[in-house]
Amino acid sequence: MASRWTRIRPVSILLLSTALVVAGTISCRSTDTTIAEDADPPATSSSRFAFEPRSPLRAGSNVTDDDPLVMVYTAGTRMSPGSMVAISFPTAVQEEAGDLWSIPTVTDGTPGHCRLADDSIGRAEITSAGRARGGAGRIVLRMTQAIEAGDTLRIRLTGQVPKVVPKQSFRVVEMNIDTGLPAGLAPENLEVPPVVAGRAVRLVATIPSDAATGEAFRLRIAAIDAFGNVDVSFAGSVRLAGPLDRLPPAVAFNDMDRGQKSISAVAGASPGIVRVTVAATVASGEAIVRSNPMQVWAGAPPMRRFVGDAHFHSGSDVASVTTDGGDHRGQFVASEDAFVYLRDVAAADWGISAEHDTGMSDVTWTANQERVASQQDDALFVTLPGYEWTPPRRLGHHVVVFENPAGLANPLIGASSGRRGGTGAATVAELAAALRAVTSTGRRVLMIPHIMQPFPNGDVDRDEHSLPHETWDGPQGSAAGAYVFNDLRRVGELYSHHNDDFSVDGFRQTREGRGDAVNQPQLFEVGPGNSWSYQHAWSTGHRIGVIGGSDNHFGTPGLNDFVPTIPHHAGLAVVFAARLSRTEIFDGLYARRCYATTGARILVDVTVDGLRMGEESFRKAGARIPIRVTVSGTERIDSVEVLKFAGGEFVVVPGPIERKGELDVSLTLVDTLEASTLYYIRVRQSDGEWAWSSPVWIDTQPPER
């Protein structure tokens, strides 16, 4: 059962480690009292934690010894000598290296240097400072003198300021040696760090993907800094232009707008592809940007394209502080804040917060679903409940998504082979069997592969890195087709930020930093002989569509490469649906009526002899198969390819691209069906953004009986 402190605020579960030596941690004095790694405070403290008044810190800046960030702990009750206080905050780990607070250390002159202020020396000591397991930085204090209620201790901190403006406070737990029990500080007694966004350097303008002529919709504009934070102080005139009715020539941003503005009741004047041009003076100079393309239809659109992020993390729903999954890497992000960013800044239509099973219990999984459901805004923004099944990477992580809204009917089936241990599913096959028990009752479930690395590889930091990937084929020696779960694996994550985990020269992501990884959009697509690739999956009987997901951990899902300083490529999923609702979005994913992009809102549509993405049908051998493709890009289109499976390989079907090098292109060709095959579309833009359609499967006509 969750403690009283946990029930008050699940997001405030403290990520702790022992006061003994961990990676990068020093120990100044041995003591019999420590705040254990698995401490789940049973009590709430009346102590307070704040920051000494100072000018706000700009996101991505640095704090120096001359002007440190001063943390102030005020005791709520008498703390006897030997009592301890642990302060935790998000630091850099893996691909986030360089983006959060510096790892704390007592080494003078090193980023992250922390020390007691002069008036606190002699009353307490720092017993450890470093990075705890799971990624959070942690400073532990021990009282060397009695601290009375109302007394303060001040700790000076230097180093990097996070690039993403924190919305959550540091986490503080104390242990009074007189009671021996840890107590967490109440949320109302914890102050959020004084970090603000930098000045806006870019505008993001977003409109829907589809609308009927004359149909009113919203144009949304956000002013963001170099790291994707909204500049809430942005002010000035923003000029607008585009073939829309009721579009004002300019709008004024003021303090009340807080860096975001929505212009309602604009409408497409006539059928066609439209974009809005937005211009303003920002910190970097004159900014002129285009919105995403929108198709305006003469009548009601037959289907609309709804853009979402199918996979991101916050860590606000963990129950355990004893695993690396607890508060996933210690980013200190609340799912509510992440959904607000996805909805209001990235302007997505839907999203799935997929926390790791490693840090959840049945209690917090239920709370997670309720929290996600609370972000649903009917007809405006859709949320789906899900979690990430987290075995060793080589087995293949999967995002499990339920059709049902929040409830006990959606089981948490953990990865017993992963850090979670215990009961659950050790393999993909066991997970599929457990989920089929759910679908046998008439409830639909999606089991979405989330591939992160090629296997074998040179990453000695990872499990069994020299063995093959098991996502598609199962363990070595498995029968052909034994791992085909087409009833559950309807779509798969073709693109996420993990497409830059490995570069062609053998770079491997390490625990300590991401190095100079190169984004490789093709990494998980190509090569029928690559056991991790989707071409391999398609060639071995997996009838799986494709989507994108960011796997974002910063509370900024949907963030695209317009913020190159944050190494999280967006990865988006676009679903065709009649309207925006939880049922329709799930239906579109389940029907594979969807496509993936690297984060750009590229419009893609394709029919293969009248069949839409994700559909299957029969045709007679020798039949002529007409293929029609239309693409509208966010930048100029370099290539549009139709690929099919033939002779054990994927080949490009030849055909002319009309208006290559333009923003809007089309492709019409006819292929001859020689054998059962599949067709899918691959799009590349001049700016390096890609898109892939889900396949269309055509089998040769079965013989008449």
Side-chain angles (χ1 to χ4, degrees), residues 150-382:
D151 285 354
T152 62
L153 293 174
R154 299 192 307 141
I155 308 97
R156 297 160 55 98
L157 181 66
T158 68
Q160 179 173 279
V161 177
K163 293 177 180 176
V164 176
V165 174
K167 302 290 194 305
Q168 304 298 313
S169 60
F170 286 8
R171 300 177 189 172
V172 183
V173 69
E174 63 187 25
M175 181 180 289
N176 194 323
I177 197 169
D178 295 332
T179 66
L181 295 176
L185 271 63
E188 61 270 21
N189 291 340
L190 292 165
E191 193 173 277
V192 176
V195 180
V196 298
R199 293 182 60 196
V201 297
R202 185 176 174 89
L203 302 175
V204 179
T206 312
I207 54 180
S209 298
D210 297 274
T213 301
E215 177 186 351
F217 59 85
R218 292 184 298 164
L219 164 65
R220 288 183 280 182
I221 304 171
I224 61 173
D225 69 5
F227 309 115
N229 303 297
V230 176
D231 177 6
V232 297
S233 65
F234 177 76
S237 177
V238 176
R239 304 178 299 281
L240 310 173
L244 300 177
D245 289 337
R246 300 186 294 277
L247 180 69
V251 292
F253 274 67
N254 55 44
D255 290 342
M256 296 293 291
D257 295 312
R258 296 188 62 79
Q260 296 174 261
K261 204 168 187 71
S262 178
I263 297 96
S264 301
V266 294
S270 59
I273 301 296
V274 302
R275 298 171 179 83
V276 178
T277 300
V278 178
T281 301
V282 295
S284 55
E286 184 73 2
I288 302 175
V289 299
R290 278 191 300 261
S291 73
N292 60 289
M294 178 178 74
Q295 183 165 356
V296 179
W297 301 77
M303 299 287 276
R304 297 173 187 260
R305 283 160 283 205
F306 295 108
V307 178
D309 190 335
H311 178 190
F312 62 90
H313 291 271
S314 69
S316 59
D317 307 296
V318 298
S320 170
V321 294
T322 62
T323 73
D324 291 350
D327 196 280
H328 188 68
R329 298 184 186 164
Q331 272 86 352
F332 295 20
V333 173
S335 58
E336 295 89 340
D337 295 330
F339 274 115
V340 166
Y341 191 97
L342 181 63
R343 182 192 66 207
D344 295 344
V345 182
D349 301 305
W350 59 276
I352 301 171
S353 170
E355 311 298 357
H356 284 258
D357 67 78
T358 48
M360 285 195 288
S361 67
D362 289 336
V363 171
T364 52
W365 164 233
T366 300
N368 169 275
Q369 295 177 77
E370 293 170 349
R371 183 178 289 105
V372 169
S374 73
Q375 300 303 306
Q376 171 92 7
D377 189 349
D378 293 340
L380 293 176
F381 186 73
V382 162

Side-chain angles (χ1 to χ4, degrees), residues 449 492-496 499 521 523-525 534 538 546-549 596 692:
E493 192 177 289
L494 180 66
Y495 184 88
S496 73
N499 288 66
L523 182 59
F524 302 125
E525 175 203 358
Y534 278 79
W538 292 325
V546 295
I547 57 175
W692 303 262

